[in-house]
Amino acid sequence: MARSVQITRVYHFSAAHQLASAKLSSADNAALYGACHRPHGHNYYLEVTVAGMPDAHTGMAVDLEALDRHVQRTVLDQVDHATLEDAPALAGVITTGESLARAFWRTLAPGLPTGRLLRITVVETAKNRFEYRGEA
Amino acid sequence: MARSVQITRVYHFSAAHQLASAKLSSADNAALYGACHRPHGHNYYLEVTVAGMPDAHTGMAVDLEALDRHVQRTVLDQVDHATLEDAPALAGVITTGESLARAFWRTLAPGLPTGRLLRITVVETAKNRFEYRGEA
Amino acid sequence: MARSVQITRVYHFSAAHQLASAKLSSADNAALYGACHRPHGHNYYLEVTVAGMPDAHTGMAVDLEALDRHVQRTVLDQVDHATLEDAPALAGVITTGESLARAFWRTLAPGLPTGRLLRITVVETAKNRFEYRGEA
Amino acid sequence: MARSVQITRVYHFSAAHQLASAKLSSADNAALYGACHRPHGHNYYLEVTVAGMPDAHTGMAVDLEALDRHVQRTVLDQVDHATLEDAPALAGVITTGESLARAFWRTLAPGLPTGRLLRITVVETAKNRFEYRGEA
Amino acid sequence: MARSVQITRVYHFSAAHQLASAKLSSADNAALYGACHRPHGHNYYLEVTVAGMPDAHTGMAVDLEALDRHVQRTVLDQVDHATLEDAPALAGVITTGESLARAFWRTLAPGLPTGRLLRITVVETAKNRFEYRGEA
Amino acid sequence: MARSVQITRVYHFSAAHQLASAKLSSADNAALYGACHRPHGHNYYLEVTVAGMPDAHTGMAVDLEALDRHVQRTVLDQVDHATLEDAPALAGVITTGESLARAFWRTLAPGLPTGRLLRITVVETAKNRFEYRGEA
């Protein structure tokens, strides 16, 4: 039996961020997060992986334009050329890569217009990648 | 118990292609596929992932030269510096990334000379990757 | 004395092409251009390098939005998701990388809305780059 | 129920190596390993993937500094700017990519200070990647 | 006669920034800089190119460790995991890529411990590079 | 007047090497070269830039196949999957990146079958590039 195909679409945004816990003092935040407690920023790549069966008539498994619009509207419009801590979709989220991956899943999964969401990958730098595969 | 190792080998080919369904008019194809209905092309990367147990005497799990020859003969010789729609291995295939990944699996799996085929990845552009993990 | 700054902006297009001289037979074209005489395609990168002096008030040396619009209108609209041989800007051009670089210079230089054109780079594959620095 | 997040950290080392089996003659080694039997070297990337649940208070799932120290001490200190065959952690290992991936797993798994080890990837060149997901 | 060799060393830093002129109102800044007037950030690459003659005895043209220390102390310590507008080396600089390249030249040139400074390149994103070749 | 076009062709080789001066003791070599005095290796990229005028009939400025054969025969055959210190073309050369760039120029310039040699670039790692532009 044929299995579905996985499509990974790569998006980009440039954002400022700052790791800080509202429950900690500034000194404790600096001790916990080190240099990441200072405001800084990244060229993030957001990779969205969805699964679908190629349609026999069109050869396409997902509607990439619909996916692009969904990601643009629910995520990129809030985080590109912005401060992550100001994005409504990230309210209450400490913006570590691992928490971003989970938050973006929770933002993108509801109302996903095409395919089945398999994996969210946040590429923070060339040395750090964070993947989330959703609720069990 | 030791598990097998996964080896991913990356191949490259430059090809022209054009998304079109034989069942649709030219106008309907243009509406469905947008700019991709026009002839264009890509530098494709084909990633072939196979699994095998490292041999205790040689340290090798697969015979990469045999794999290279198989991929060259069954896929690259047909698609490199070619039009995808002309490749016999892709007869009847609408050459979306998702359908290419599945078609390359079906071409490469029979007669694979080494290892166990795990995954075919087609990298169409820096923004689009397509993976197929085979028949269930 | 301060010198100008060089800004390189990277654009992308996916195109089909085919090397062929109108003056040669099909056999002679195949002998001359080898595999490149067959229709195939690439993910091209077009790098446009312009020079300008940073403005003391804005810190900007060129108007990147104006540059983007100029490149989009005069080049990308003709070559992205297209066959290079069909582009009006490339009429009569054999679409080798070296000839593309020179043709894009000649297309982009007139009416350049910002900065001074220094260099056009065409990246055909990860192994081939072609640069043109203009008429003397 | 929330699932864990996978964090991939990318490390780099430059090393010399030479494929050779102690049980074979020099001629047989040359026949088996080809050019790889000659001393040569690579810029290796070692990707370590660990899983963890983001902490509700810190947003962090693993302690990346502790992971860095563990990888540095048990692997990188032995293999960076070194000959792989001289590394104590690789004693008796024929240094193919597949055997390196398994050997690094066996070196890193014991005493891992943070997270749960999911995958070791050895990137030998832009064309070859080797993954090991551990003992069953 | 032998010429000197050019050595390019690539450094990385992650920083927040925001384009704004102190002489403009917030509305005028937004009109002038668009999305770049909002706080955001990048993974910057700073490429420092110096020239030197390889020493006949050591084969080395520059002292890369001395260069690293100079760049670390005068630039990276101020801009990595920081807000560019807060860096003393960038006081009064509107942090466009072109102005950063010139400002880093002016910071690095005095006291350069090795080689002759030829070029500063600031890579802001995969689409934008800025080069400065110094005072005439 | 039209200027020539610059073509950059990228070659790859994997090699072992070790920085050492024959005039120094082992301890002095270790002090001078640090970790680079130990045998290690790299995935090197050799970029060869040549200039030529596009031919009006063929659109080609250089014969890339002839260039490939020349580079293969005079350089790659000696250094790929080899130890740099053993290559005849590098006899007496301390194999720093800067000295390699100059040595490869001196090897490639005589008998160059096509174009005019403009620049040799040796990419040692993602952090280090070395360029030589030849004898004055």
Side-chain angles (χ1 to χ4, degrees):
Chain A
M1 200 188 73
R3 281 199 204 147
S4 61
V5 180
Q6 302 187 6
I7 293 103
T8 298
R9 187 85 162 164
V10 182
Y11 303 92
H12 178 264
F13 61 95
S14 296
H17 86 133
Q18 174 176 26
L19 297 187
S21 165
K23 293 165 187 151
L24 296 179
S25 69
S26 177
D28 286 352
N29 270 313
L32 179 63
Y33 297 112
C36 296
H37 178 53
R38 303 197 299 256
H40 61 287
H42 299 290
N43 296 323
Y44 287 94
Y45 290 90
L46 167 63
E47 303 189 351
V48 178
T49 302
V50 294
M53 293 292 297
D55 180 273
H57 296 294
T58 67
M60 296 190 292
V62 295
D63 180 340
L64 288 178
E65 288 189 16
L67 182 62
D68 286 359
R69 281 192 302 268
H70 183 65
V71 175
Q72 183 70 45
R73 189 176 52 81
T74 61
V75 175
L76 299 181
D77 280 350
Q78 291 189 23
V79 298
D80 189 31
H81 282 74
T83 299
L84 296 184
E85 284 73 21
D86 294 342
L90 300 174
V93 174
I94 298 176
T95 58
T96 58
E98 47 267 60
S99 294
L100 286 178
R102 201 166 60 174
F104 290 147
W105 176 286
R106 291 173 179 175
T107 302
L108 288 165
L112 188 79
T114 182
R116 183 167 46 88
L117 191 58
L118 280 187
R119 187 173 65 233
I120 293 292
T121 304
V122 171
V123 182
E124 192 183 60
T125 70
K127 293 191 174 175
N128 288 317
R129 293 198 305 271
F130 304 88
E131 292 183 20
Y132 189 61
R133 291 160 189 263
E135 323 296 305
Chain B
M1 198 187 77
R3 282 199 203 147
S4 61
V5 179
Q6 302 187 7
I7 292 102
T8 298
R9 188 83 162 163
V10 182
Y11 302 94
H12 178 264
F13 61 95
S14 295
H17 87 134
Q18 174 175 25
L19 297 187
S21 165
K23 293 164 188 154
L24 296 180
S25 68
S26 178
D28 285 351
N29 270 314
L32 179 61
Y33 297 112
C36 296
H37 177 52
R38 304 197 297 257
H40 62 287
H42 299 291
N43 296 322
Y44 287 94
Y45 290 90
L46 167 62
E47 303 189 351
V48 178
T49 302
V50 295
M53 293 293 296
D55 180 273
H57 295 295
T58 68
M60 295 190 292
V62 296
D63 181 339
L64 288 178
E65 289 188 14
L67 181 62
D68 287 357
R69 281 191 303 268
H70 183 65
V71 175
Q72 183 70 44
R73 188 174 53 78
T74 61
V75 175
L76 299 182
D77 280 350
Q78 292 189 23
V79 297
D80 189 31
H81 282 76
T83 299
L84 295 184
E85 285 73 24
D86 295 343
L90 300 175
V93 174
I94 299 176
T95 57
T96 57
E98 47 267 60
S99 294
L100 286 178
R102 201 166 59 173
F104 290 147
W105 176 285
R106 290 174 179 173
T107 302
L108 287 166
L112 188 80
T114 181
R116 181 165 49 88
L117 191 57
L118 280 188
R119 188 175 63 232
I120 294 292
T121 304
V122 171
V123 182
E124 193 184 59
T125 69
K127 292 190 174 176
N128 289 318
R129 294 198 304 273
F130 304 89
E131 292 184 19
Y132 189 59
R133 290 159 189 264
E135 323 296 304
Chain C
M1 200 188 74
R3 282 197 203 148
S4 60
V5 179
Q6 302 187 7
I7 291 102
T8 298
R9 188 83 163 165
V10 182
Y11 302 95
H12 178 263
F13 61 95
S14 295
H17 87 134
Q18 173 176 27
L19 297 187
S21 165
K23 293 165 186 152
L24 296 178
S25 69
S26 178
D28 285 352
N29 270 315
L32 179 62
Y33 297 113
C36 296
H37 177 53
R38 304 197 297 257
H40 62 287
H42 299 290
N43 296 323
Y44 287 94
Y45 290 90
L46 167 62
E47 303 189 350
V48 179
T49 302
V50 295
M53 293 292 298
D55 180 274
H57 295 296
T58 68
M60 296 190 292
V62 296
D63 180 340
L64 288 177
E65 288 188 14
L67 182 63
D68 287 358
R69 281 192 303 267
H70 183 64
V71 175
Q72 182 71 43
R73 189 175 52 79
T74 61
V75 175
L76 299 182
D77 280 350
Q78 291 190 22
V79 297
D80 189 30
H81 282 76
T83 299
L84 296 184
E85 285 73 23
D86 295 343
L90 300 175
V93 173
I94 298 176
T95 57
T96 58
E98 46 267 61
S99 294
L100 286 178
R102 200 166 60 173
F104 290 147
W105 176 285
R106 290 171 180 176
T107 301
L108 287 166
L112 188 80
T114 183
R116 182 166 48 89
L117 192 57
L118 280 188
R119 189 174 64 233
I120 293 293
T121 304
V122 171
V123 183
E124 192 183 61
T125 70
K127 291 189 174 177
N128 288 318
R129 291 198 306 272
F130 304 88
E131 290 183 21
Y132 189 60
R133 291 160 190 263
E135 324 295 303
Chain D
M1 199 187 76
R3 282 199 204 146
S4 61
V5 180
Q6 301 187 7
I7 292 105
T8 298
R9 187 84 162 165
V10 182
Y11 302 93
H12 179 263
F13 62 94
S14 295
H17 87 134
Q18 174 176 26
L19 296 187
S21 165
K23 293 165 186 153
L24 295 179
S25 70
S26 177
D28 285 352
N29 270 314
L32 178 62
Y33 296 112
C36 296
H37 177 53
R38 303 197 299 257
H40 61 287
H42 298 291
N43 297 324
Y44 287 95
Y45 290 90
L46 167 62
E47 302 189 350
V48 178
T49 302
V50 295
M53 294 293 296
D55 180 274
H57 295 296
T58 68
M60 295 190 292
V62 295
D63 180 340
L64 288 178
E65 288 189 15
L67 182 62
D68 286 358
R69 281 191 303 267
H70 183 65
V71 175
Q72 182 69 45
R73 190 175 51 79
T74 61
V75 174
L76 300 182
D77 281 349
Q78 291 190 23
V79 296
D80 187 32
H81 283 75
T83 300
L84 296 184
E85 285 73 22
D86 294 343
L90 300 174
V93 174
I94 299 176
T95 57
T96 58
E98 48 266 62
S99 294
L100 286 178
R102 200 166 61 174
F104 290 147
W105 176 285
R106 290 174 179 172
T107 301
L108 287 166
L112 188 79
T114 182
R116 182 166 48 88
L117 192 57
L118 280 188
R119 188 174 65 231
I120 292 294
T121 304
V122 171
V123 183
E124 192 183 61
T125 70
K127 293 189 174 178
N128 289 317
R129 293 199 304 272
F130 304 89
E131 290 184 20
Y132 189 60
R133 291 161 189 262
E135 323 294 306
Chain E
M1 199 187 75
R3 282 199 204 146
S4 60
V5 179
Q6 301 187 7
I7 292 103
T8 298
R9 187 83 163 166
V10 181
Y11 303 93
H12 178 264
F13 61 95
S14 295
H17 86 133
Q18 175 176 25
L19 297 187
S21 164
K23 293 165 186 152
L24 296 179
S25 69
S26 177
D28 286 352
N29 270 313
L32 178 63
Y33 296 112
C36 297
H37 177 52
R38 302 197 299 256
H40 62 288
H42 300 292
N43 296 322
Y44 287 94
Y45 290 90
L46 167 63
E47 304 189 350
V48 179
T49 301
V50 294
M53 294 291 297
D55 180 274
H57 296 296
T58 68
M60 295 190 291
V62 295
D63 181 339
L64 288 178
E65 288 188 15
L67 181 62
D68 286 357
R69 281 192 303 267
H70 184 65
V71 175
Q72 183 69 45
R73 189 174 52 79
T74 61
V75 175
L76 300 182
D77 280 350
Q78 291 189 23
V79 296
D80 188 31
H81 283 75
T83 300
L84 296 184
E85 285 73 22
D86 294 342
L90 300 174
V93 174
I94 298 176
T95 58
T96 59
E98 47 267 60
S99 294
L100 287 178
R102 200 166 61 175
F104 290 147
W105 175 287
R106 290 174 178 173
T107 301
L108 287 166
L112 189 80
T114 182
R116 182 166 48 89
L117 191 58
L118 281 188
R119 188 174 64 233
I120 293 293
T121 304
V122 171
V123 183
E124 192 184 60
T125 71
K127 293 189 174 177
N128 289 317
R129 294 199 305 273
F130 304 88
E131 291 183 20
Y132 189 60
R133 290 161 190 262
E135 323 296 305
Chain F
M1 201 186 75
R3 283 199 203 145
S4 61
V5 179
Q6 302 187 7
I7 292 103
T8 298
R9 188 83 161 164
V10 182
Y11 303 92
H12 179 262
F13 60 95
S14 295
H17 86 135
Q18 174 176 25
L19 298 186
S21 164
K23 292 164 187 152
L24 296 179
S25 69
S26 177
D28 285 352
N29 270 314
L32 179 62
Y33 296 111
C36 297
H37 177 52
R38 304 198 298 256
H40 61 287
H42 299 291
N43 296 323
Y44 287 94
Y45 290 90
L46 167 63
E47 303 189 351
V48 178
T49 302
V50 294
M53 292 292 297
D55 180 273
H57 295 295
T58 67
M60 295 190 292
V62 296
D63 180 340
L64 288 178
E65 288 188 15
L67 181 62
D68 286 358
R69 282 192 302 268
H70 183 64
V71 175
Q72 183 68 46
R73 188 176 52 79
T74 61
V75 174
L76 300 181
D77 281 350
Q78 291 189 23
V79 298
D80 189 31
H81 282 76
T83 299
L84 296 184
E85 284 73 22
D86 294 341
L90 299 174
V93 174
I94 299 176
T95 57
T96 58
E98 47 266 62
S99 294
L100 287 178
R102 201 166 59 175
F104 290 147
W105 177 286
R106 290 174 179 173
T107 301
L108 288 166
L112 188 80
T114 183
R116 181 166 48 90
L117 191 58
L118 280 188
R119 188 175 64 233
I120 293 293
T121 305
V122 171
V123 182
E124 193 183 60
T125 70
K127 292 190 175 175
N128 289 318
R129 295 198 305 271
F130 304 88
E131 293 183 20
Y132 189 61
R133 290 160 190 263
E135 323 295 305

